[in-house]
Amino acid sequence: MALQDKYKELTDAATASGVTNLQVREQDGVLYIDGDAPGGAAKDRLWDIYNKIDPDFRAGDLVMNINVTGLIEGTKLKVVTQSSNLNIRKGPGTDQPIVGKAAHNEIVTLVSKSSDQWWLVRTDAGEEGYSYAQYLTPA
Amino acid sequence: MKRSILNYLIVLASATMIAATLSSCGPKDADIKAAVTKQMQAMPDMSGMTADVKDGVVTLSGEVKDDATKAMCETVAKGVAGVKSVVNNCTVAPPPPPPAAPVVIAADDPLTKGVTDAIKDFTGVKADVKDGVITLTGEIKKADLKTLMMSLNTLKPKKIDNQLVIK
C-alpha cells in the first residue's frame, strides 16, 4: 500500500487525464501501472509527474507501461528523431536489415502496430517496413 | 340511567368478542416475525435478513448474494404459519470485482532483445537483463533519460535498476 500512496498523484492524474484500462498492481515491492493514454501529451504529463515523485527514476519501485491509443491504420506520423534519419527495417528489431530511411520531420503512414515498440510504416516514396515507435508521433 | 349502563355493557361485551375473534384468527405479528427470523437465521445465506410483519404481511429487507437466495427468502417466509403475503425488498449484492491478474513479466530473451533495441541510439548506456530486471549502467544526458525510460517501461520488465550517471 505504501507504494500506491507514494505514487497516488500519478494514478490520480492517470484517471483524471482519461487513461483507460488502468491497472495499478503491487507485486514483490514494485508498483506496476498499466493503461492506455488518449494522447501523447497525456502520457508525457504522467512521465513528468513520475520524474517529480522519483527524481531521475532512481528508486526502481515503479514500472509504468502507458501506451497511446487511438492510432489506427492510416494515421499520419511524424519522424521525431533528434536530427538523423529514421531506419525502416525488414522486421521488428535492430538486428533486422534496413530497407529504407525516413528523414527527420518526414511524415509517414502507420500500416500496423507490430508491438508497442515496433510499428509498420510506409513512406510517401512507397518504402514499407518497421520503425521504432519512440521516434514516431501523430502528425 | 339503568338503560345507559346496560348499553355500555353491551358495547363492552361486543368489543371484547370482536377483539377475541380477531386475535384468534391466526398468530400475532410478533410471533410471525419471530418465526420468520428464526427460519432465516438457520440459513447462512439469509442470516443478515430482517423481517417486519404487519397484519400478517411480511416485508423482507437486507442484502443477499444472488437472485436465487432472494427467491428462497420469499419461499421461506411464505411457509411460516399465519403469513398472508410477502413483500420482498431484498437487494442482491453486486458481484465482487474479479481479482487482479498477476503482473506479466517478460522472459529474459525477448526482454534482452527489446532492451538492445531501446538503448541502441543512446551511446554510453549499457544494460544488463537478468530475471526480468534491467540494470542500466554507463552515462546518459539528462534530456535523454525520460525518453529511454519511457521506452524501457513498455517492455514489461520486473523492475528497472537505474545506475546511470547523468551528464
PDB file of all heavy atoms in Angstrom, chain A residues 61-93:
ATOM      1  N   ASP A  61      11.115   1.207  -8.102  1.00  0.00           N
ATOM      2  CA  ASP A  61       9.920   0.618  -7.485  1.00  0.00           C
ATOM      3  C   ASP A  61       8.656   0.855  -8.307  1.00  0.00           C
ATOM      4  O   ASP A  61       7.549   0.651  -7.832  1.00  0.00           O
ATOM      5  CB  ASP A  61       9.733   1.148  -6.062  1.00  0.00           C
ATOM      6  CG  ASP A  61       9.652   2.675  -6.021  1.00  0.00           C
ATOM      7  OD1 ASP A  61       9.648   3.304  -7.103  1.00  0.00           O
ATOM      8  OD2 ASP A  61       9.604   3.234  -4.913  1.00  0.00           O
ATOM      9  N   LEU A  62       8.843   1.296  -9.554  1.00  0.00           N
ATOM     10  CA  LEU A  62       7.671   1.519 -10.411  1.00  0.00           C
ATOM     11  C   LEU A  62       7.999   1.113 -11.847  1.00  0.00           C
ATOM     12  O   LEU A  62       9.068   1.437 -12.365  1.00  0.00           O
ATOM     13  CB  LEU A  62       7.258   3.003 -10.366  1.00  0.00           C
ATOM     14  CG  LEU A  62       6.118   3.434 -11.297  1.00  0.00           C
ATOM     15  CD1 LEU A  62       4.809   2.758 -10.940  1.00  0.00           C
ATOM     16  CD2 LEU A  62       5.928   4.946 -11.290  1.00  0.00           C
ATOM     17  N   VAL A  63       7.074   0.394 -12.457  1.00  0.00           N
ATOM     18  CA  VAL A  63       7.150   0.137 -13.896  1.00  0.00           C
ATOM     19  C   VAL A  63       5.867   0.705 -14.482  1.00  0.00           C
ATOM     20  O   VAL A  63       4.771   0.249 -14.163  1.00  0.00           O
ATOM     21  CB  VAL A  63       7.279  -1.373 -14.208  1.00  0.00           C
ATOM     22  CG1 VAL A  63       7.177  -1.610 -15.710  1.00  0.00           C
ATOM     23  CG2 VAL A  63       8.605  -1.915 -13.688  1.00  0.00           C
ATOM     24  N   MET A  64       6.019   1.765 -15.274  1.00  0.00           N
ATOM     25  CA  MET A  64       4.830   2.447 -15.807  1.00  0.00           C
ATOM     26  C   MET A  64       4.719   2.191 -17.308  1.00  0.00           C
ATOM     27  O   MET A  64       5.479   2.733 -18.110  1.00  0.00           O
ATOM     28  CB  MET A  64       4.898   3.953 -15.519  1.00  0.00           C
ATOM     29  CG  MET A  64       3.630   4.667 -15.975  1.00  0.00           C
ATOM     30  SD  MET A  64       3.431   6.311 -15.273  1.00  0.00           S
ATOM     31  CE  MET A  64       4.656   7.236 -16.181  1.00  0.00           C
ATOM     32  N   ASN A  65       3.791   1.329 -17.649  1.00  0.00           N
ATOM     33  CA  ASN A  65       3.598   0.948 -19.050  1.00  0.00           C
ATOM     34  C   ASN A  65       2.340   1.617 -19.592  1.00  0.00           C
ATOM     35  O   ASN A  65       1.259   1.048 -19.594  1.00  0.00           O
ATOM     36  CB  ASN A  65       3.497  -0.583 -19.131  1.00  0.00           C
ATOM     37  CG  ASN A  65       3.323  -1.073 -20.549  1.00  0.00           C
ATOM     38  OD1 ASN A  65       3.637  -0.367 -21.510  1.00  0.00           O
ATOM     39  ND2 ASN A  65       2.795  -2.277 -20.692  1.00  0.00           N
ATOM     40  N   ILE A  66       2.513   2.880 -20.000  1.00  0.00           N
ATOM     41  CA  ILE A  66       1.389   3.642 -20.551  1.00  0.00           C
ATOM     42  C   ILE A  66       1.595   3.789 -22.054  1.00  0.00           C
ATOM     43  O   ILE A  66       2.635   4.282 -22.497  1.00  0.00           O
ATOM     44  CB  ILE A  66       1.302   5.051 -19.899  1.00  0.00           C
ATOM     45  CG1 ILE A  66       1.087   4.945 -18.378  1.00  0.00           C
ATOM     46  CG2 ILE A  66       0.216   5.896 -20.554  1.00  0.00           C
ATOM     47  CD1 ILE A  66      -0.296   4.571 -17.943  1.00  0.00           C
ATOM     48  N   ASN A  67       0.630   3.309 -22.822  1.00  0.00           N
ATOM     49  CA  ASN A  67       0.737   3.427 -24.271  1.00  0.00           C
ATOM     50  C   ASN A  67      -0.342   4.359 -24.797  1.00  0.00           C
ATOM     51  O   ASN A  67      -1.391   4.522 -24.176  1.00  0.00           O
ATOM     52  CB  ASN A  67       0.596   2.048 -24.918  1.00  0.00           C
ATOM     53  CG  ASN A  67       1.827   1.199 -24.620  1.00  0.00           C
ATOM     54  OD1 ASN A  67       2.922   1.504 -25.066  1.00  0.00           O
ATOM     55  ND2 ASN A  67       1.643   0.158 -23.822  1.00  0.00           N
ATOM     56  N   VAL A  68      -0.055   4.947 -25.949  1.00  0.00           N
ATOM     57  CA  VAL A  68      -1.016   5.872 -26.547  1.00  0.00           C
ATOM     58  C   VAL A  68      -1.956   5.078 -27.452  1.00  0.00           C
ATOM     59  O   VAL A  68      -1.507   4.322 -28.312  1.00  0.00           O
ATOM     60  CB  VAL A  68      -0.295   6.980 -27.340  1.00  0.00           C
ATOM     61  CG1 VAL A  68      -1.302   7.893 -28.022  1.00  0.00           C
ATOM     62  CG2 VAL A  68       0.595   7.790 -26.417  1.00  0.00           C
ATOM     63  N   THR A  69      -3.251   5.251 -27.222  1.00  0.00           N
ATOM     64  CA  THR A  69      -4.227   4.525 -28.047  1.00  0.00           C
ATOM     65  C   THR A  69      -4.765   5.418 -29.149  1.00  0.00           C
ATOM     66  O   THR A  69      -4.437   6.602 -29.235  1.00  0.00           O
ATOM     67  CB  THR A  69      -5.436   4.076 -27.197  1.00  0.00           C
ATOM     68  OG1 THR A  69      -5.961   5.230 -26.550  1.00  0.00           O
ATOM     69  CG2 THR A  69      -5.059   3.031 -26.204  1.00  0.00           C
ATOM     70  N   GLY A  70      -5.607   4.860 -29.935  1.00  0.00           N
ATOM     71  CA  GLY A  70      -6.303   5.640 -30.951  1.00  0.00           C
ATOM     72  C   GLY A  70      -5.499   5.830 -32.223  1.00  0.00           C
ATOM     73  O   GLY A  70      -5.902   6.556 -33.124  1.00  0.00           O
ATOM     74  N   LEU A  71      -4.327   5.180 -32.290  1.00  0.00           N
ATOM     75  CA  LEU A  71      -3.550   5.281 -33.519  1.00  0.00           C
ATOM     76  C   LEU A  71      -3.963   4.121 -34.422  1.00  0.00           C
ATOM     77  O   LEU A  71      -3.598   2.978 -34.197  1.00  0.00           O
ATOM     78  CB  LEU A  71      -2.055   5.208 -33.215  1.00  0.00           C
ATOM     79  CG  LEU A  71      -1.507   6.368 -32.388  1.00  0.00           C
ATOM     80  CD1 LEU A  71      -0.042   6.178 -32.093  1.00  0.00           C
ATOM     81  CD2 LEU A  71      -1.717   7.689 -33.125  1.00  0.00           C
ATOM     82  N   ILE A  72      -4.762   4.431 -35.407  1.00  0.00           N
ATOM     83  CA  ILE A  72      -5.255   3.376 -36.285  1.00  0.00           C
ATOM     84  C   ILE A  72      -4.503   3.406 -37.618  1.00  0.00           C
ATOM     85  O   ILE A  72      -3.776   4.366 -37.919  1.00  0.00           O
ATOM     86  CB  ILE A  72      -6.776   3.504 -36.527  1.00  0.00           C
ATOM     87  CG1 ILE A  72      -7.110   4.931 -36.985  1.00  0.00           C
ATOM     88  CG2 ILE A  72      -7.555   3.158 -35.267  1.00  0.00           C
ATOM     89  CD1 ILE A  72      -8.426   5.063 -37.673  1.00  0.00           C
ATOM     90  N   GLU A  73      -4.725   2.371 -38.376  1.00  0.00           N
ATOM     91  CA  GLU A  73      -4.115   2.255 -39.697  1.00  0.00           C
ATOM     92  C   GLU A  73      -4.415   3.509 -40.520  1.00  0.00           C
ATOM     93  O   GLU A  73      -5.560   3.968 -40.537  1.00  0.00           O
ATOM     94  CB  GLU A  73      -4.711   1.015 -40.383  1.00  0.00           C
ATOM     95  CG  GLU A  73      -4.096   0.683 -41.715  1.00  0.00           C
ATOM     96  CD  GLU A  73      -4.871  -0.451 -42.399  1.00  0.00           C
ATOM     97  OE1 GLU A  73      -5.413  -1.321 -41.692  1.00  0.00           O
ATOM     98  OE2 GLU A  73      -4.913  -0.431 -43.627  1.00  0.00           O
ATOM     99  N   GLY A  74      -3.400   4.042 -41.162  1.00  0.00           N
ATOM    100  CA  GLY A  74      -3.605   5.237 -41.972  1.00  0.00           C
ATOM    101  C   GLY A  74      -3.263   6.528 -41.255  1.00  0.00           C
ATOM    102  O   GLY A  74      -3.218   7.584 -41.873  1.00  0.00           O
ATOM    103  N   THR A  75      -3.028   6.445 -39.928  1.00  0.00           N
ATOM    104  CA  THR A  75      -2.648   7.641 -39.180  1.00  0.00           C
ATOM    105  C   THR A  75      -1.315   8.180 -39.708  1.00  0.00           C
ATOM    106  O   THR A  75      -0.390   7.417 -39.969  1.00  0.00           O
ATOM    107  CB  THR A  75      -2.495   7.309 -37.674  1.00  0.00           C
ATOM    108  OG1 THR A  75      -3.714   6.777 -37.196  1.00  0.00           O
ATOM    109  CG2 THR A  75      -2.127   8.541 -36.855  1.00  0.00           C
ATOM    110  N   LYS A  76      -1.270   9.497 -39.883  1.00  0.00           N
ATOM    111  CA  LYS A  76      -0.020  10.111 -40.357  1.00  0.00           C
ATOM    112  C   LYS A  76       0.897  10.334 -39.156  1.00  0.00           C
ATOM    113  O   LYS A  76       0.465  10.855 -38.118  1.00  0.00           O
ATOM    114  CB  LYS A  76      -0.319  11.464 -41.029  1.00  0.00           C
ATOM    115  CG  LYS A  76      -1.150  11.335 -42.293  1.00  0.00           C
ATOM    116  CD  LYS A  76      -0.356  10.697 -43.417  1.00  0.00           C
ATOM    117  CE  LYS A  76      -1.214  10.540 -44.681  1.00  0.00           C
ATOM    118  NZ  LYS A  76      -0.524   9.691 -45.681  1.00  0.00           N
ATOM    119  N   LEU A  77       2.131   9.915 -39.292  1.00  0.00           N
ATOM    120  CA  LEU A  77       3.097  10.022 -38.196  1.00  0.00           C
ATOM    121  C   LEU A  77       4.289  10.862 -38.636  1.00  0.00           C
ATOM    122  O   LEU A  77       4.728  10.787 -39.785  1.00  0.00           O
ATOM    123  CB  LEU A  77       3.595   8.628 -37.795  1.00  0.00           C
ATOM    124  CG  LEU A  77       2.534   7.616 -37.352  1.00  0.00           C
ATOM    125  CD1 LEU A  77       3.135   6.222 -37.291  1.00  0.00           C
ATOM    126  CD2 LEU A  77       1.954   8.012 -36.004  1.00  0.00           C
ATOM    127  N   LYS A  78       4.778  11.646 -37.695  1.00  0.00           N
ATOM    128  CA  LYS A  78       5.941  12.484 -37.992  1.00  0.00           C
ATOM    129  C   LYS A  78       7.181  11.837 -37.383  1.00  0.00           C
ATOM    130  O   LYS A  78       7.125  11.299 -36.272  1.00  0.00           O
ATOM    131  CB  LYS A  78       5.713  13.859 -37.372  1.00  0.00           C
ATOM    132  CG  LYS A  78       6.739  14.888 -37.737  1.00  0.00           C
ATOM    133  CD  LYS A  78       6.262  16.225 -37.202  1.00  0.00           C
ATOM    134  CE  LYS A  78       7.407  17.178 -36.974  1.00  0.00           C
ATOM    135  NZ  LYS A  78       6.929  18.403 -36.344  1.00  0.00           N
ATOM    136  N   VAL A  79       8.255  11.862 -38.121  1.00  0.00           N
ATOM    137  CA  VAL A  79       9.514  11.297 -37.631  1.00  0.00           C
ATOM    138  C   VAL A  79      10.154  12.305 -36.673  1.00  0.00           C
ATOM    139  O   VAL A  79      10.471  13.436 -37.065  1.00  0.00           O
ATOM    140  CB  VAL A  79      10.461  10.994 -38.819  1.00  0.00           C
ATOM    141  CG1 VAL A  79      11.820  10.524 -38.317  1.00  0.00           C
ATOM    142  CG2 VAL A  79       9.831   9.949 -39.738  1.00  0.00           C
ATOM    143  N   VAL A  80      10.316  11.880 -35.419  1.00  0.00           N
ATOM    144  CA  VAL A  80      10.832  12.801 -34.405  1.00  0.00           C
ATOM    145  C   VAL A  80      12.191  12.345 -33.863  1.00  0.00           C
ATOM    146  O   VAL A  80      12.426  12.351 -32.661  1.00  0.00           O
ATOM    147  CB  VAL A  80       9.818  13.019 -33.250  1.00  0.00           C
ATOM    148  CG1 VAL A  80       8.663  13.882 -33.699  1.00  0.00           C
ATOM    149  CG2 VAL A  80       9.308  11.683 -32.704  1.00  0.00           C
ATOM    150  N   THR A  81      13.072  11.950 -34.765  1.00  0.00           N
ATOM    151  CA  THR A  81      14.454  11.680 -34.369  1.00  0.00           C
ATOM    152  C   THR A  81      15.076  13.011 -33.989  1.00  0.00           C
ATOM    153  O   THR A  81      14.531  14.076 -34.316  1.00  0.00           O
ATOM    154  CB  THR A  81      15.237  11.075 -35.545  1.00  0.00           C
ATOM    155  OG1 THR A  81      15.020  11.919 -36.684  1.00  0.00           O
ATOM    156  CG2 THR A  81      14.757   9.674 -35.868  1.00  0.00           C
ATOM    157  N   GLN A  82      16.228  12.955 -33.306  1.00  0.00           N
ATOM    158  CA  GLN A  82      16.848  14.224 -32.912  1.00  0.00           C
ATOM    159  C   GLN A  82      17.306  15.027 -34.125  1.00  0.00           C
ATOM    160  O   GLN A  82      17.100  16.225 -34.189  1.00  0.00           O
ATOM    161  CB  GLN A  82      18.003  13.964 -31.952  1.00  0.00           C
ATOM    162  CG  GLN A  82      17.445  13.694 -30.554  1.00  0.00           C
ATOM    163  CD  GLN A  82      18.510  13.568 -29.507  1.00  0.00           C
ATOM    164  OE1 GLN A  82      19.704  13.555 -29.819  1.00  0.00           O
ATOM    165  NE2 GLN A  82      18.100  13.461 -28.257  1.00  0.00           N
ATOM    166  N   SER A  83      17.915  14.349 -35.093  1.00  0.00           N
ATOM    167  CA  SER A  83      18.298  15.043 -36.319  1.00  0.00           C
ATOM    168  C   SER A  83      18.513  14.053 -37.459  1.00  0.00           C
ATOM    169  O   SER A  83      18.318  14.377 -38.619  1.00  0.00           O
ATOM    170  CB  SER A  83      19.589  15.848 -36.115  1.00  0.00           C
ATOM    171  OG  SER A  83      20.627  14.979 -35.720  1.00  0.00           O
ATOM    172  N   SER A  84      18.855  12.814 -37.094  1.00  0.00           N
ATOM    173  CA  SER A  84      19.235  11.841 -38.113  1.00  0.00           C
ATOM    174  C   SER A  84      18.016  11.237 -38.800  1.00  0.00           C
ATOM    175  O   SER A  84      16.880  11.480 -38.426  1.00  0.00           O
ATOM    176  CB  SER A  84      20.055  10.739 -37.461  1.00  0.00           C
ATOM    177  OG  SER A  84      19.311  10.191 -36.395  1.00  0.00           O
ATOM    178  N   ASN A  85      18.283  10.394 -39.795  1.00  0.00           N
ATOM    179  CA  ASN A  85      17.218   9.663 -40.474  1.00  0.00           C
ATOM    180  C   ASN A  85      16.725   8.527 -39.580  1.00  0.00           C
ATOM    181  O   ASN A  85      17.468   8.001 -38.750  1.00  0.00           O
ATOM    182  CB  ASN A  85      17.752   9.058 -41.779  1.00  0.00           C
ATOM    183  CG  ASN A  85      18.076  10.135 -42.802  1.00  0.00           C
ATOM    184  OD1 ASN A  85      17.449  11.196 -42.798  1.00  0.00           O
ATOM    185  ND2 ASN A  85      19.041   9.850 -43.661  1.00  0.00           N
ATOM    186  N   LEU A  86      15.484   8.146 -39.807  1.00  0.00           N
ATOM    187  CA  LEU A  86      14.918   7.011 -39.072  1.00  0.00           C
ATOM    188  C   LEU A  86      15.037   5.761 -39.940  1.00  0.00           C
ATOM    189  O   LEU A  86      14.646   5.761 -41.107  1.00  0.00           O
ATOM    190  CB  LEU A  86      13.441   7.288 -38.745  1.00  0.00           C
ATOM    191  CG  LEU A  86      12.669   6.162 -38.059  1.00  0.00           C
ATOM    192  CD1 LEU A  86      13.241   5.880 -36.659  1.00  0.00           C
ATOM    193  CD2 LEU A  86      11.190   6.503 -37.954  1.00  0.00           C
ATOM    194  N   ASN A  87      15.595   4.720 -39.344  1.00  0.00           N
ATOM    195  CA  ASN A  87      15.728   3.468 -40.085  1.00  0.00           C
ATOM    196  C   ASN A  87      14.381   2.780 -40.254  1.00  0.00           C
ATOM    197  O   ASN A  87      13.585   2.730 -39.324  1.00  0.00           O
ATOM    198  CB  ASN A  87      16.663   2.507 -39.340  1.00  0.00           C
ATOM    199  CG  ASN A  87      18.100   2.983 -39.380  1.00  0.00           C
ATOM    200  OD1 ASN A  87      18.515   3.621 -40.355  1.00  0.00           O
ATOM    201  ND2 ASN A  87      18.849   2.685 -38.343  1.00  0.00           N
ATOM    202  N   ILE A  88      14.159   2.254 -41.430  1.00  0.00           N
ATOM    203  CA  ILE A  88      12.985   1.417 -41.688  1.00  0.00           C
ATOM    204  C   ILE A  88      13.537   0.024 -41.973  1.00  0.00           C
ATOM    205  O   ILE A  88      14.372  -0.152 -42.862  1.00  0.00           O
ATOM    206  CB  ILE A  88      12.169   1.953 -42.876  1.00  0.00           C
ATOM    207  CG1 ILE A  88      11.646   3.363 -42.549  1.00  0.00           C
ATOM    208  CG2 ILE A  88      11.010   1.017 -43.202  1.00  0.00           C
ATOM    209  CD1 ILE A  88      10.957   4.045 -43.691  1.00  0.00           C
ATOM    210  N   ARG A  89      13.077  -0.938 -41.156  1.00  0.00           N
ATOM    211  CA  ARG A  89      13.700  -2.266 -41.198  1.00  0.00           C
ATOM    212  C   ARG A  89      12.731  -3.321 -41.720  1.00  0.00           C
ATOM    213  O   ARG A  89      11.522  -3.150 -41.686  1.00  0.00           O
ATOM    214  CB  ARG A  89      14.192  -2.638 -39.791  1.00  0.00           C
ATOM    215  CG  ARG A  89      15.315  -1.723 -39.320  1.00  0.00           C
ATOM    216  CD  ARG A  89      15.738  -2.046 -37.892  1.00  0.00           C
ATOM    217  NE  ARG A  89      16.756  -1.132 -37.422  1.00  0.00           N
ATOM    218  CZ  ARG A  89      18.073  -1.309 -37.598  1.00  0.00           C
ATOM    219  NH1 ARG A  89      18.508  -2.374 -38.239  1.00  0.00           N
ATOM    220  NH2 ARG A  89      18.937  -0.430 -37.123  1.00  0.00           N
ATOM    221  N   LYS A  90      13.344  -4.433 -42.140  1.00  0.00           N
ATOM    222  CA  LYS A  90      12.564  -5.528 -42.716  1.00  0.00           C
ATOM    223  C   LYS A  90      11.639  -6.163 -41.667  1.00  0.00           C
ATOM    224  O   LYS A  90      10.532  -6.581 -41.957  1.00  0.00           O
ATOM    225  CB  LYS A  90      13.522  -6.584 -43.276  1.00  0.00           C
ATOM    226  CG  LYS A  90      12.833  -7.643 -44.112  1.00  0.00           C
ATOM    227  CD  LYS A  90      13.850  -8.634 -44.679  1.00  0.00           C
ATOM    228  CE  LYS A  90      13.126  -9.719 -45.491  1.00  0.00           C
ATOM    229  NZ  LYS A  90      14.065 -10.782 -45.877  1.00  0.00           N
ATOM    230  N   GLY A  91      12.136  -6.254 -40.438  1.00  0.00           N
ATOM    231  CA  GLY A  91      11.345  -6.851 -39.359  1.00  0.00           C
ATOM    232  C   GLY A  91      11.466  -6.024 -38.098  1.00  0.00           C
ATOM    233  O   GLY A  91      12.234  -5.055 -38.049  1.00  0.00           O
ATOM    234  N   PRO A  92      10.690  -6.374 -37.067  1.00  0.00           N
ATOM    235  CA  PRO A  92      10.721  -5.605 -35.819  1.00  0.00           C
ATOM    236  C   PRO A  92      11.928  -5.931 -34.944  1.00  0.00           C
ATOM    237  O   PRO A  92      11.883  -6.839 -34.134  1.00  0.00           O
ATOM    238  CB  PRO A  92       9.398  -5.994 -35.133  1.00  0.00           C
ATOM    239  CG  PRO A  92       9.077  -7.359 -35.663  1.00  0.00           C
ATOM    240  CD  PRO A  92       9.706  -7.474 -37.015  1.00  0.00           C
ATOM    241  N   GLY A  93      13.028  -5.220 -35.115  1.00  0.00           N
ATOM    242  CA  GLY A  93      14.225  -5.438 -34.301  1.00  0.00           C
ATOM    243  C   GLY A  93      15.411  -4.764 -34.928  1.00  0.00           C
ATOM    244  O   GLY A  93      15.487  -4.644 -36.159  1.00  0.00           O
TER     245      GLY A  93
END
